[in-house]
C-alpha cells in the first residue's frame, strides 16, 4: 500500500471520529417553527375549552332573569320553568297574607243591624217550625226582618263579598266572609246587587235591596239573614254586639 493512500485512509477515520465527538458536544437544536405552531394551536384549544367550562358553570350558578313587561299578548305567553317557579312562589306569598277586610285572629262581631227596622217576624230556630209556603215543618236557619220592597239591606260587619248568586228557595243571595270560619247570608234581595264578589265591605255598607223569598212567599215582605260558622248554620245573634250586651 502506498504511503499517500494509507495516510488519507487514516485521515478519513480520524475525521469521522472527530465529527462524532463534535456532534455529541453540540448543543441540541432549538424547537422548529412547525413544533412551535402545533404547540400554540394546542394552547389555544385548551384555553377555549377552559373558558367554555368556566362560562357554563358561571351561567348555571348565576342564571340571567329576564323581566317581561305585561302586554296584550300575555294570553299567548307560554310560561317557562322559571316563570312557573315564580308563579308558585307568588302563590305561596299571597296565601300567607291575611285576606283584605278580614282578620282571622279577631273575634267576629256584628255591630250593625241589616235593616233600620229591627222588627223580627221569624227568629232563628233549630227546632222545626211550620212553613206556610212549603206546607211543612223545617228548621228556620236564619232571622226574618220585616221590610218593604226596595228597602236597602246593610252588611252586619266588616268582611269581603264571597259570592252573589240566585237560589230557588232563598232568592238572590249575597254572602260576606268575615273570617275563615264565619260567613253571613243576606237572602231575598233584588237581582241587581249593590256589591260584587271580592269587594271589601264595612259594617253598615249597603249590599242590596229587599225583593222576595220564594221559599217564604206566604209571609209579608222581609229579608232573611243567616250565618254559617265552620260550615254549620248558627244563630246570627251569637255575633251581634247588641245581643252580647243584653
Amino acid at each position: 500500500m502506498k504511503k499517500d493512500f494509507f495516510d488519507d485512509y487514516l485521515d478519513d477515520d480520524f475525521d469521522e471520529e472527530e465529527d462524532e465527538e463534535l456532534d455529541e458536544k453540540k448543543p441540541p437544536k432549538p424547537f422548529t417553527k412547525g413544533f412551535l405552531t402545533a404547540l400554540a394551536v394546542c394552547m389555544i384549544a385548551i384555553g377555549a375549552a377552559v373558558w367554555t367550562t368556566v362560562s357554563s358553570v358561571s351561567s348555571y350558578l348565576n342564571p340571567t332573569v329576564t323581566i317581561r313587561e305585561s302586554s296584550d299578548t300575555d294570553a299567548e305567553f307560554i310560561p317557562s320553568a322559571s316563570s312557573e317557579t315564580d308563579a308558585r312562589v307568588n302563590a305561596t306569598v299571597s296565601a300567607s297574607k291575611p285576606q283584605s277586610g278580614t282578620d282571622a285572629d279577631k273575634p267576629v262581631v256584628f255591630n250593625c243591624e241589616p235593616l233600620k227596622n229591627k222588627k223580627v217576624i221569624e227568629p232563628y230556630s233549630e227546632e222545626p217550625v211550620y212553613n206556610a209556603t212549603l206546607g211543612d215543618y223545617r228548621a228556620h236557619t236564619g232571622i226574618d226582618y220585616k221590610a218593604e220592597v226596595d228597602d236597602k239591606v246593610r252588611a252586619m260587619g266588616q268582611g269581603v263579598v264571597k259570592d252573589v248568586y240566585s237560589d230557588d228557595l232563598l232568592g238572590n243571595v249575597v254572602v260576606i266572609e268575615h273570617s275563615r270560619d264565619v260567613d253571613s247570608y243576606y237572602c231575598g234581595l233584588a237581582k241587581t246587587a249593590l256589591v260584587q264578589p271580592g269587594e271589601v265591605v264595612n259594617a253598615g255598607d249597603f249590599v242590596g235591596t229587599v225583593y222576595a223569598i220564594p221559599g217564604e212567599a206566604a209571609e209579608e215582605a222581609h229579608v232573611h239573614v243567616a250565618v254559617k260558622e265552620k260550615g254549620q248554620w248558627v244563630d246570627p245573634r251569637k255575633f251581634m254586639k247588641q245581643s252580647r250586651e243584653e
Side-chain angles (χ1 to χ4, degrees):
M1 184 182 289
K2 292 182 181 182
K3 183 177 183 300
D4 293 338
F5 176 79
F6 182 74
D7 291 339
D8 291 338
Y9 175 78
L10 292 177
D11 290 339
D12 289 340
D13 287 345
F14 177 79
D15 291 339
E16 289 178 2
E17 291 176 0
E18 185 178 4
D19 289 340
E20 290 177 0
E21 290 177 0
L22 290 175
D23 289 340
E24 290 176 357
K25 293 179 180 180
K26 285 181 181 179
K29 294 182 179 180
F31 296 118
T32 65
K33 182 183 289 187
F35 176 81
L36 292 177
T37 300
L39 179 62
V41 171
C42 290
M43 293 299 291
I44 292 173
I46 293 172
V50 172
W51 172 256
T52 301
T53 302
V54 172
S55 179
S56 299
V57 173
S58 177
S59 299
Y60 176 79
L61 297 177
N62 301 287
T64 301
V65 177
T66 302
I67 299 176
R68 187 176 64 87
E69 295 182 358
S70 60
S71 66
D72 294 335
T73 60
D74 282 349
E76 300 175 359
F77 172 67
I78 299 175
S80 62
S82 60
S83 65
E84 290 176 354
T85 302
D86 292 343
R88 289 195 296 269
V89 172
N90 292 337
T92 302
V93 173
S94 298
S96 66
K97 293 181 180 180
Q99 189 174 14
S100 177
T102 65
D103 190 340
D105 298 329
K106 246 176 122 179
V108 175
V109 177
F110 296 154
N111 48 25
C112 181
E113 295 284 349
L115 290 168
K116 277 188 176 183
N117 182 2
K118 300 178 183 179
K119 184 179 179 181
V120 174
I121 60 176
E122 188 69 55
Y124 172 87
S125 175
E126 294 179 357
E127 297 297 324
V129 295
Y130 184 69
N131 184 307
T133 304
L134 302 177
D136 61 8
Y137 287 84
R138 61 182 62 203
H140 191 254
T141 56
I143 299 176
D144 292 346
Y145 289 88
K146 177 178 172 58
E148 299 293 335
V149 174
D150 292 334
D151 281 353
K152 287 186 176 181
V153 180
R154 302 171 185 268
M156 295 184 291
Q158 183 186 32
V160 178
V161 178
K162 186 175 183 178
D163 200 1
V164 178
Y165 66 94
S166 182
D167 183 88
D168 291 341
L169 294 179
L170 298 174
N172 297 310
V173 182
V174 169
V175 184
I176 297 177
E177 182 183 52
H178 302 280
S179 73
R180 291 194 189 98
D181 297 330
V182 179
D183 298 332
S184 61
Y185 292 70
Y186 305 81
C187 311
L189 305 179
K191 188 172 183 179
T192 304
L194 301 180
V195 291
Q196 298 298 323
E199 186 175 340
V200 176
V201 295
N202 294 310
D205 287 350
F206 295 122
V207 298
T209 57
V210 177
Y211 182 64
I213 301 177
E216 298 176 350
E219 299 179 22
E220 55 188 319
H222 66 281
V223 64
H224 179 95
V225 177
V227 172
K228 272 188 178 181
E229 182 179 23
K230 295 182 179 179
Q232 301 296 321
W233 296 113
V234 296
D235 190 344
R237 291 197 172 272
K238 173 182 178 180
F239 303 97
M240 290 183 177
K241 183 177 179 181
Q242 180 180 358
S243 177
R244 292 184 175 191
E245 292 176 348
E246 291 176 354

